[in-house]
Amino acid sequence: MATRVLIVGLGNLTHPLTRHSVGQLAVDSLSTRLGVRLSLNKSIGGYFSETTLDIHGKPFIIGLYKTSAPMNLSGPPVGIALRKTARSPSSLIVLHDSLEHKPTTLSPKFGGSANGHNGVRSLISALGTKDFYRLRLGIGKPESDVAGHVLARLPNFENQFWAPDGPGLDLLWEQIQNIAIHVDRAS
């Protein structure tokens, strides 16, 4: 039986290609790399696709999802998508921007606080647990005007880094595979 994993990209559909929506950009790039098309699924309030893949000799059903809700209200629709797909929060991988990490870096984390990230805070509240995986995509922290920084368009080198053929997506896919194997062993 295949293990299910749901990968969620946080962001705002109304602000594509901004630092704040780098999680959604990464999901779009993953869908291109995996050869699946994200389609609007009104029952789960966002764009979704699923594919079955072999990872290290084991079958996995990988769901890709990005919510139509604003970032700060993403928890409830992600909870619905999780219940309809992978079911367990420990099978959830959330991709989101991180001010605490340098641009073009990737930092995995399981559980813990939201560290001031309102999208993650919404997820924790909706899921009733902190126990899910996060892949924090670095966007750097400005000296001032955080709102302006996160809502600014991604510089070209960061956009290319997270593109389907970019080195960031190689790192991201490697981490996703490692997490998927861990999820399979734990189930």
Side-chain angles (χ1 to χ4, degrees):
M1 187 164 155
T3 300
R4 288 183 168 272
V5 175
L6 179 62
I7 301 167
V8 173
L10 294 186
N12 288 306
L13 289 177
T14 56
H15 295 87
L17 301 178
T18 62
R19 290 182 177 105
H20 206 39
S21 293
V22 70
Q24 290 186 341
L25 171 66
V27 163
D28 289 338
S29 293
L30 277 170
S31 74
T32 299
R33 181 175 279 194
L34 298 176
V36 297
R37 181 176 157 86
L38 293 167
S39 300
L40 181 60
N41 183 322
K42 291 182 181 180
S43 72
I44 59 174
Y47 290 82
F48 179 76
S49 186
E50 235 176 24
T51 188
T52 302
L53 299 171
D54 179 278
I55 299 175
H56 300 295
K58 296 187 177 271
F60 286 85
I61 299 171
I62 303 292
L64 300 174
Y65 177 67
K66 58 184 189 176
T67 176
S68 298
M71 165 88 78
N72 296 353
L73 303 174
S74 57
V78 170
I80 292 168
L82 184 63
R83 284 188 296 278
K84 290 188 175 196
T85 59
R87 295 179 184 80
S88 170
S90 63
S91 299
L92 174 64
I93 304 171
V94 177
L95 314 179
H96 68 85
D97 61 309
S98 174
L99 290 165
E100 303 304 319
H101 295 87
K102 292 179 182 178
T104 68
T105 61
L106 175 67
S107 177
K109 179 180 180 178
F110 180 81
S113 77
N115 286 349
H117 194 287
N118 290 328
V120 174
R121 183 176 292 124
S122 178
L123 287 172
I124 291 169
S125 176
L127 300 176
T129 184
K130 298 175 183 179
D131 294 339
F132 54 90
Y133 291 93
R134 302 161 208 181
L135 293 175
R136 299 169 294 177
L137 312 178
I139 62 168
K141 190 172 193 173
E143 303 241 348
S144 63
D145 191 23
V146 171
H149 179 72
V150 299
L151 294 176
R153 289 186 68 79
L154 275 172
N156 192 46
F157 78 95
E158 289 180 53
N159 197 352
Q160 292 303 311
F161 187 78
W162 301 114
D165 59 350
L169 212 66
D170 292 337
L171 296 173
L172 186 66
W173 182 238
E174 181 181 327
Q175 287 295 324
I176 288 169
Q177 290 180 88
N178 291 339
I179 292 169
I181 292 299
H182 184 76
V183 168
D184 180 66
R185 289 182 183 147
S187 58

